Amino acid sequence: MKHSDKKMDTIIAYAKRKGFVFPSSEIYDGFAGAYDYGPHGVELARAIKRHWWKDVVLKKHNVYGLDAAIVMNPKVWVASGHVAGFSDPLADCRTCQTRIRVDKELEKLGVTADEKMSEEEINKLFDQKRDEIVCIKCGSKDFTEARPINLLVQSNVGDFSTDGSNPVYLRGETAQGIYVNFKNVVDSLHPKIPFGIAQIGKAFRNEISPRQFLFRTREFEQMEMQYFTRPGEDKTAYETWKEERWDSFKQMGISEEHLRWNQHDNLVFYAADAWDIEYQFPDYGFDEVEGLHMRTNYDLTQHSEHSGKDLSFNDNGDKFIPHVVETSIGVGRAFVAVLAEAYDEEELEDGDTRVVLRFVPKLAPVQVAILPLMKKDGLAEAAQQIFADLAGVFRVTYDESGSVGKRYRRQDEIGTPFCVTYDYESKDDKMVTVRDRDSMKQERVAITELTNYLQEKIR
Ligand code: ATP
């Protein structure tokens, strides 16, 4: 089907029906800004994370992995600037109290209002556009002034004061865990510069209006890498990472036609350059999935000053605070992009429509389905043996219920690229039929060759 014919509502309903994504706490009417990955969703999300980790960490000799705690000393968030300035401008509809994010409403009208602007500056822009901003719930144009709402989520972990006067925060991004461990990595692994530190983990933001499915949630997962370079060498590294990250989207099966770069017009004062990779979401349009930023030496300088620890790098007596190139991508947004890209409704020759998820094989939640033609005559047992042999190598499922045609359809619906059928002839010729999801073509393959055959295809 054409990309422009896809509808997010259809994809969201489908994702729920097929066990990819469920609204959080649904039996209690849900919880805004949180979602749960179901059995197929967790596999897809893990495959996306594995793909990223492989590209960014395992294939590099100079990028190191990390898994920092979600809760940190609150001084981290003062030093990083999040306590003072990590906020979005919010206004309330005076008629029905619906809250809006003023910067996003202005953005829809082609006006840039970013985090760098003061409350007054944002309100000035807001006042100029009030006539064009309408409450989505009641249609009123009567809003309060915009006021900044801090996005950090507070927690009482380790805070036993009765008045909550020592707030702790759930991390608003994973990057700070990397900066505060910079010295530990340098002292323990003695890397040569340039080098990177990467991690995947949960982050929390009190988003004013969580919306658009996994696109804007209050709990989400990030995959972030900070690459530390000599001053003046960050630009070259930045260009290389930009190319690699773009390529990584193609490797996830995303067509370049649905991707674009967006350069930030208004940079925060310390940044040297910032570009986002945007995906053309059905209905939502182009929006950010990954941000790549040249952050100069701002973060390490801040943490040096606030902690009193020397975070400079000593390269044979040449001491400097490294500059940082950052890449930051949300698992949820990548997940929606991969899912929306894979979703396809296809008219078959017999007039039927089949829904098929065309995941690239390395991301498919189930990569191989093993199907005995019949349950009887020893076919099931033989197929189960094949399942057992392949289970440690691929993500495999076994299905013996219903006609083979129906079972093929079920696998198409969750995006399984290969179905392996064990039939009566298999007993004699020791071969199985491998059916390809996209072409629906079938091929006979020797059981002894099956692992190699599938490995080749999945790679
Ligand atoms: P936006 O402008 O859309 O709020 P951002 O510029 O604040 O995003 P960053 O702080 O650069 O986002 O975060 C890096 C990445 O983390 C984003 O590109 C996105 O993929 C992901 N991300 C950020 N906020 C959310 C959220 N509330 N829900 C899901 N993913 C998010």
Side-chain angles (χ1 to χ4, degrees):
M1 74 192 292
K2 292 216 300 264
H3 193 67
S4 52
D5 289 339
K6 295 181 184 177
K7 294 268 164 262
M8 275 312 294
D9 280 352
T10 313
I11 294 170
I12 295 167
Y14 190 79
K16 182 176 172 221
R17 216 162 55 241
K18 296 293 165 191
F20 282 84
V21 182
F22 307 130
S24 160
S25 337
E26 199 185 12
I27 59 168
Y28 291 101
D29 300 327
F31 185 72
Y35 283 90
D36 300 339
Y37 290 110
H40 295 313
V42 69
E43 295 301 342
L44 177 58
R46 282 197 180 160
I48 290 171
K49 287 186 267 184
R50 217 174 289 125
H51 165 68
W52 184 86
W53 193 259
K54 214 169 172 179
D55 269 1
V56 175
V57 182
L58 300 180
K59 285 186 184 170
K60 305 284 174 192
H61 63 89
N62 65 344
V63 179
Y64 305 95
L66 183 80
D67 189 1
I70 288 175
V71 284
M72 305 167 87
N73 188 314
K75 288 179 191 162
V76 170
W77 303 102
V78 176
S80 67
H82 285 78
V83 170
F86 188 44
S87 56
D88 286 336
L90 170 138
D92 300 304
C93 168
R94 286 206 171 94
T95 315
C96 74
Q97 278 71 52
T98 293
R99 282 167 292 179
I100 58 161
R101 244 184 89 175
V102 176
D103 58 332
K104 292 288 166 194
E105 293 300 326
L106 289 169
E107 208 176 281
K108 284 184 210 158
L109 301 170
V111 178
T112 307
D114 63 24
E115 58 252 56
K116 210 173 75 179
M117 290 179 177
S118 68
E119 198 175 331
E120 289 70 35
E121 284 171 312
I122 294 213
N123 271 307
K124 209 167 149 196
L125 294 174
F126 188 27
D127 286 342
Q128 286 164 7
K129 292 284 172 188
R130 274 179 185 267
D131 258 7
E132 296 171 55
I133 299 176
V134 181
C135 174
I136 43 158
K137 204 159 165 204
C138 73
S140 161
K141 292 180 180 173
D142 187 12
F143 291 98
T144 61
E145 295 271 281
R147 62 187 186 282
I149 294 292
N150 194 287
L151 296 181
L152 283 178
V153 174
Q154 292 192 5
S155 152
N156 67 346
V157 174
D159 175 15
F160 299 102
S161 63
T162 45
D163 57 355
S165 56
N166 298 311
V168 173
Y169 307 99
L170 302 183
R171 64 182 174 203
E173 61 177 23
T174 54
Q176 297 307 322
I178 291 177
Y179 295 125
V180 299
N181 278 294
F182 170 78
K183 192 169 157 39
N184 284 332
V185 173
V186 169
D187 291 348
S188 56
L189 283 106
H190 311 291
K192 287 210 175 76
I193 198 127
F195 69 93
I197 307 178
Q199 76 166 326
I200 300 178
K202 291 271 173 132
F204 300 81
R205 294 183 188 179
N206 245 338
E207 296 282 355
I208 294 162
S209 39
R211 67 199 160 86
Q212 295 176 326
F213 193 38
L214 302 177
F215 186 84
R216 190 172 302 287
T217 50
R218 291 186 174 133
E219 173 180 340
F220 56 97
E221 218 169 355
Q222 288 185 313
M223 306 189 273
E224 294 198 301
M225 195 263 326
Q226 327 300 127
Y227 198 70
F228 302 94
T229 75
R230 288 179 154 276
E233 291 181 4
D234 45 347
K235 182 73 183 157
T236 318
Y238 187 57
E239 294 309 328
T240 308
W241 278 108
K242 272 176 67 188
E243 268 174 41
E244 289 196 17
R245 296 307 307 139
W246 179 270
D247 195 53
S248 176
F249 278 78
K250 291 199 283 173
Q251 302 295 327
M252 290 196 291
I254 295 182
S255 155
E256 283 187 287
E257 279 172 34
H258 308 141
L259 291 171
R260 74 175 186 198
W261 283 109
N262 176 35
Q263 186 175 24
H264 292 209
D265 310 322
N266 280 306
L267 293 170
V268 276
F269 68 91
Y270 52 80
D273 204 356
W275 291 77
D276 295 333
I277 298 178
E278 296 189 337
Y279 174 70
Q280 188 177 26
F281 294 93
D283 304 325
Y284 309 160
F286 276 103
D287 218 330
E288 172 183 346
V289 178
E290 173 158 359
L292 286 111
H293 313 123
M294 279 177 76
R295 299 186 58 89
T296 65
N297 61 5
Y298 175 76
D299 307 274
L300 289 178
T301 305
Q302 285 293 105
H303 285 301
S304 268
E305 283 170 7
H306 282 253
S307 67
K309 304 289 184 315
D310 181 6
L311 299 184
S312 56
F313 188 86
N314 188 341
D315 193 6
N316 294 317
D318 182 11
K319 268 180 88 176
F320 53 88
I321 302 237
H323 282 222
V324 166
V325 167
E326 163 184 87
T327 118
S328 178
I329 166 168
V331 174
R333 290 189 192 179
F335 183 101
V336 182
V338 168
L339 183 64
E341 191 74 10
Y343 184 87
D344 193 13
E345 290 168 13
E346 183 185 45
E347 289 252 349
L348 297 176
E349 278 167 12
D350 61 9
D352 253 20
T353 303
R354 73 166 183 158
V355 173
V356 49
L357 298 182
R358 300 191 191 280
F359 296 126
V360 288
K362 74 170 154 194
L363 296 188
V366 175
Q367 296 171 306
V368 187
I370 315 293
L371 322 170
L373 186 68
M374 303 288 231
K375 274 190 250 183
K376 55 188 186 185
D377 303 326
L379 300 190
E381 289 73 11
Q384 280 161 16
Q385 185 55 50
I386 295 177
F387 170 85
D389 292 343
L390 297 187
V393 189
F394 311 104
R395 292 186 290 278
V396 194
T397 193
Y398 171 82
D399 186 6
E400 59 176 29
S401 56
S403 73
V404 161
K406 283 212 177 97
R407 282 181 269 163
Y408 284 157
R409 278 299 167 84
R410 279 205 289 271
Q411 296 304 324
D412 291 343
E413 287 173 352
I414 58 162
T416 308
F418 304 105
C419 287
V420 171
T421 308
Y422 189 93
D423 56 25
Y424 284 101
E425 279 162 44
S426 306
K427 277 181 164 183
D428 300 326
D429 66 4
K430 306 277 180 278
M431 294 181 99
V432 283
T433 301
V434 180
R435 179 233 191 215
D436 180 283
R437 174 197 68 202
D438 295 334
S439 66
M440 294 189 275
K441 293 226 167 76
Q442 307 195 355
E443 215 178 321
R444 288 297 274 183
V445 177
I447 295 171
T448 51
E449 280 305 309
L450 191 57
T451 305
N452 284 343
Y453 173 90
L454 290 167
Q455 231 148 15
E456 200 53 44
K457 291 264 180 188
I458 288 170
R459 197 185 300 134

